[in-house]
Amino acid sequence: MQKTCILLQLTFLLLFSISWAASSADQRENKFVRCLIQNFSNSTDISQVIYVPNNPSYALVLNSKVQNLRFQTPETPHPQVIITPNHESQIQVAIRCAKKHSLQMRIRSGGHDFDGSSYVSQAPFFLLDMTNFRTISVDVKAKTAWLGVGATLGEVYYTVHEASNSLYFPGGSGPTVGVGGLISGGGYGPFARKYGLAADNVIDARVIDAKGRILNRKSMGKDFFWALRGGNAASFGVVLAYKVKLVDIRPNFTAFNLTRTFEQNAIKLLYKWQYVSPKMPEDLSLTARFFVINDQTGNKTVIATFMGFFQGDVDSLLSLMKERFPELGVTKEDCTEIRWVDNYAYQYHVATDLTPELLLSRVNPNLEGNPYFKGKSDLVQKPIPESGIKEIWDFFYRVNPGESTMEWSPFGGRMDEISESSIPFPHRAGTSFLSISISSWGRNENSLTQRGMNWSRQLSKIMGKYLPNNPRPIYVNYRDLDLGTNNPTGYTSVEQARVWGAPYFKGNFDRLAKVKTMVDPENFFNFEQSIPLYRRGNVKEGKTNV
């Protein structure tokens, strides 16, 4: 009886997909769906795995992880098919069918890609949503964990803390960010100065390559494994899970969050911050942020905030700040003791007793207010002069309160100690801090979109005055298609792609291209800023001299 029901369900979905695609001149999507159904296991509930546009759940699944509503408009190109696999064999089938019917693949874990390239494409494509690959397995004794790429960081932090309050996975700050996307580009987080990037702590991985083989660290080889940790991993295969080291962490932190205005010497404090924060002890993370608010009189003003997290007690923190940064004026009344797991609630100004709800929710708290945005990043090496900070500060007066922000996060510490070539992420010693700017707006209107995009690009030009330009260092996890893209069809050379590849990867870009040619010579894993083929005679599939 059960087998009969499954066959009826398969037949219904097949007829449904045929009727949907029959109205299109291009039958490729129809053939792709047929291929999937014919090759998926009969035990699979197809209605919970394959979604086509006429399916009532299609829009819900597509939009469930669109973290930038700029890519949820009617004009946005949508996938012909969405697949939410619950078994790795379904991914293998999807790869075979996509190759057979010339359909591109986009791979999505958390959906936080700034420019939407994990779920948007100008070419015909299907979306592989990894939401069901979210198993988290913690080994407290070995201090390791296997993390499914569809798990969110919030889920990881909650699970690790439940297993041991003195172990930690050094990930990012956003609880709804997916593990797969974070590690794919390196994974900078609030405690990178002590523990390095998320990708620095990866010790194994499971991945499906372009041939459909399931590989681990041993079977994939050192070059493939190197590329998966910060090298734009979706260029090389479908990562299923990463095995990571868990690090020892103090269960309780001391935190503070101070606001300073122009009249309170915010410009001078930001200038001094650039010299102080990267050289602080590794136990302290001190970030700076500036944005626009309405003051108590209702007038628009720019403010700076300084947020610190310290693995130590209040007295030790106060002594450190008095010695290194007395101008900031941190007092005992400014400080709060929190659990390390509560630092995410603290950042989002959420009551710490709501930490479990914050971490386990898959709803992005940043989508409130102004959910349409454009983001840009820079990795700053030399301090920006006071005049430059004042220019940036004044530029913020061109936006309304709540629309835009800039955050500076310090490097130094452990980040200085790791080689540029250890993993593909190259921005190590010599990098002072990571700058990220967000321009946001509240409605899907052309005028607002154009204004927000222009503001972001103009601010980037101002920042560019104080940064190297050969190349200008950018963080790949804050992907920016303004840098350039691959050819939408046909071959893209390494030199063509270098315009965006060098800012992300510096000297590691050529090695990534050689690994790409070795593991995916047909360039199946291809998207707007995927690693290109090297196309050199000395690089062959299965063999490389990089």
Side-chain angles (χ1 to χ4, degrees):
M1 182 66 179
Q2 182 180 9
K3 185 175 182 180
T4 301
C5 291
I6 292 172
L7 290 175
L8 287 173
Q9 183 184 58
L10 291 173
T11 303
F12 172 78
L13 182 61
L14 177 57
L15 292 174
F16 181 77
S17 62
I18 289 173
S19 64
W20 156 68
S23 61
S24 172
D26 186 357
Q27 297 296 308
R28 172 169 37 205
E29 296 80 18
N30 170 261
K31 294 176 181 178
F32 177 65
V33 173
R34 283 179 181 268
C35 182
L36 295 175
I37 294 173
Q38 290 168 357
N39 289 278
F40 276 5
S41 167
N42 282 350
S43 63
T44 297
D45 185 351
I46 295 293
S47 66
Q48 301 300 313
V49 176
I50 301 176
Y51 302 86
V52 293
N54 280 356
N55 187 313
S57 299
Y58 172 91
L60 180 63
V61 174
L62 175 63
N63 295 329
S64 62
K65 288 189 287 187
V66 175
Q67 307 291 359
N68 184 351
L69 297 194
R70 186 157 60 93
F71 303 106
Q72 203 183 73
T73 67
E75 299 78 21
T76 304
H78 296 321
Q80 306 296 338
V81 181
I82 301 173
I83 303 175
T84 57
N86 50 39
H87 192 273
E88 54 203 23
S89 65
Q90 295 164 352
I91 302 173
Q92 294 169 309
V93 169
I95 291 173
R96 290 199 303 269
C97 291
K99 282 184 172 183
K100 183 177 180 180
H101 299 293
S102 302
L103 205 61
Q104 288 192 9
M105 173 193 286
R106 295 294 180 271
I107 308 170
R108 183 172 73 175
S109 55
H112 278 268
D113 192 313
F114 271 18
D115 272 355
S117 57
S118 64
Y119 52 89
V120 176
S121 174
Q122 299 300 321
F125 74 107
F126 77 96
L127 173 62
L128 187 72
D129 190 306
M130 299 296 289
T131 191
N132 293 326
F133 283 74
R134 55 198 287 189
T135 300
I136 302 167
S137 177
V138 177
D139 186 332
V140 173
K141 185 176 181 180
K143 296 183 180 180
T144 62
W146 274 102
L147 311 177
V149 294
T152 65
L153 291 179
E155 291 168 341
V156 172
Y157 298 142
Y158 178 83
T159 304
V160 171
H161 184 265
E162 287 293 292
S164 171
N165 67 359
S166 61
L167 291 178
Y168 172 68
F169 168 61
S173 298
T176 57
V177 171
V179 166
L182 178 84
I183 295 176
S184 172
Y188 178 86
F191 310 116
R193 299 185 64 256
K194 182 162 186 174
Y195 304 114
L197 305 177
D200 291 325
N201 292 279
V202 171
I203 56 178
D204 204 346
R206 297 186 75 251
V207 60
I208 300 179
D209 71 359
K211 288 187 173 182
R213 299 175 297 187
I214 300 176
L215 307 173
N216 59 19
R217 177 175 183 172
K218 182 177 180 180
S219 57
M220 76 177 74
K222 66 177 183 179
D223 294 317
F224 197 172
F225 182 62
W226 174 83
L228 292 182
R229 294 171 295 151
N232 215 346
S235 299
F236 305 95
V238 180
V239 181
L240 304 171
Y242 286 104
K243 186 179 183 180
V244 300
K245 293 184 296 183
L246 300 178
V247 298
D248 295 313
I249 196 168
R250 194 175 188 270
N252 295 319
F253 282 14
T254 302
F256 65 84
N257 188 2
L258 299 179
T259 297
R260 296 292 183 260
T261 64
F262 180 81
E263 292 74 19
Q264 294 170 316
N265 292 321
I267 301 294
K268 292 185 179 299
L269 290 172
L270 288 166
Y271 178 69
K272 177 81 180 279
W273 176 94
Q274 297 176 95
Y275 288 92
V276 172
S277 60
K279 299 185 183 302
M280 285 286 192
E282 296 176 357
D283 282 332
L284 176 62
S285 172
L286 177 60
T287 62
R289 181 184 300 172
F290 39 106
F291 49 92
V292 180
I293 65 167
N294 283 324
D295 63 19
Q296 293 179 346
T297 64
N299 294 319
K300 182 167 66 174
T301 188
V302 182
I303 62 169
T305 63
F306 298 85
M307 184 177 293
F309 292 105
F310 178 62
Q311 292 196 51
D313 59 37
V314 173
D315 291 337
S316 298
L317 173 61
L318 292 175
S319 175
L320 175 63
M321 294 302 295
K322 184 177 180 180
E323 176 188 353
R324 302 288 186 92
F325 201 1
E327 298 88 343
L328 190 57
V330 181
T331 68
K332 195 165 189 175
E333 290 70 28
D334 298 320
C335 299
T336 303
E337 186 176 277
I338 60 173
R339 301 176 302 167
W340 74 255
V341 75
D342 291 327
N343 88 84
Y344 304 97
Y346 189 85
Q347 290 180 60
Y348 286 97
H349 307 288
V350 173
T352 55
D353 59 352
L354 296 178
T355 287
E357 287 83 351
L358 173 68
L359 296 183
L360 296 178
S361 172
R362 296 178 77 89
V363 177
N364 183 0
N366 290 323
L367 285 183
E368 298 179 5
N370 294 315
Y372 302 82
F373 70 87
K374 172 66 179 176
K376 286 185 174 289
S377 71
D378 286 297
L379 289 140
V380 181
Q381 297 173 346
K382 295 182 179 180
I384 299 171
E386 284 189 39
S387 59
I389 298 174
K390 180 63 164 55
E391 184 179 9
I392 296 168
W393 187 275
D394 290 343
F395 190 72
F396 267 78
Y397 278 101
R398 298 191 183 186
V399 297
N400 297 318
E403 285 185 343
S404 300
T405 183
M406 175 174 275
E407 180 171 310
W408 292 354
S409 301
F411 274 41
R414 177 65 179 144
M415 293 294 289
D416 283 349
E417 300 167 359
I418 301 173
S419 164
E420 284 191 1
S421 60
S422 175
I423 64 172
F425 181 95
H427 311 290
R428 303 290 185 167
T431 299
S432 179
F433 63 92
L434 169 64
S435 170
I436 173 177
S437 62
I438 299 289
S439 172
S440 58
W441 53 98
R443 299 185 305 279
N444 177 32
E445 295 179 9
N446 288 335
S447 60
L448 292 177
T449 298
Q450 195 61 49
R451 183 168 69 98
M453 299 290 283
N454 288 341
W455 186 91
S456 177
R457 289 162 179 162
Q458 290 169 19
L459 177 60
S460 181
K461 287 182 179 179
I462 294 173
M463 285 290 291
K465 298 177 183 180
Y466 310 103
L467 298 166
N469 285 293
N470 294 310
R472 177 175 172 172
I474 306 291
Y475 181 26
V476 68
N477 263 1
Y478 299 148
R479 191 184 306 281
D480 186 0
L481 298 187
D482 285 352
L483 296 176
T485 61
N486 295 338
N487 297 327
T489 59
Y491 171 62
T492 300
S493 70
V494 170
E495 290 309 313
Q496 285 177 284
R498 198 180 300 279
V499 66
W500 59 259
Y504 292 149
F505 302 112
K506 296 171 61 174
N508 291 332
F509 183 59
D510 286 276
R511 182 179 176 185
L512 285 169
K514 292 177 182 179
V515 177
K516 169 72 173 182
T517 308
M518 176 183 69
V519 305
D520 184 20
E522 295 179 356
N523 198 27
F524 172 72
F525 296 104
N526 174 30
F527 52 94
E528 286 74 11
Q529 286 185 347
S530 59
I531 302 298
L533 297 175
Y534 201 72
R535 292 288 173 94
R536 290 276 182 89
N538 64 338
V539 181
K540 298 180 180 179
E541 183 183 5
K543 183 178 181 180
T544 179
N545 56 5
V546 297

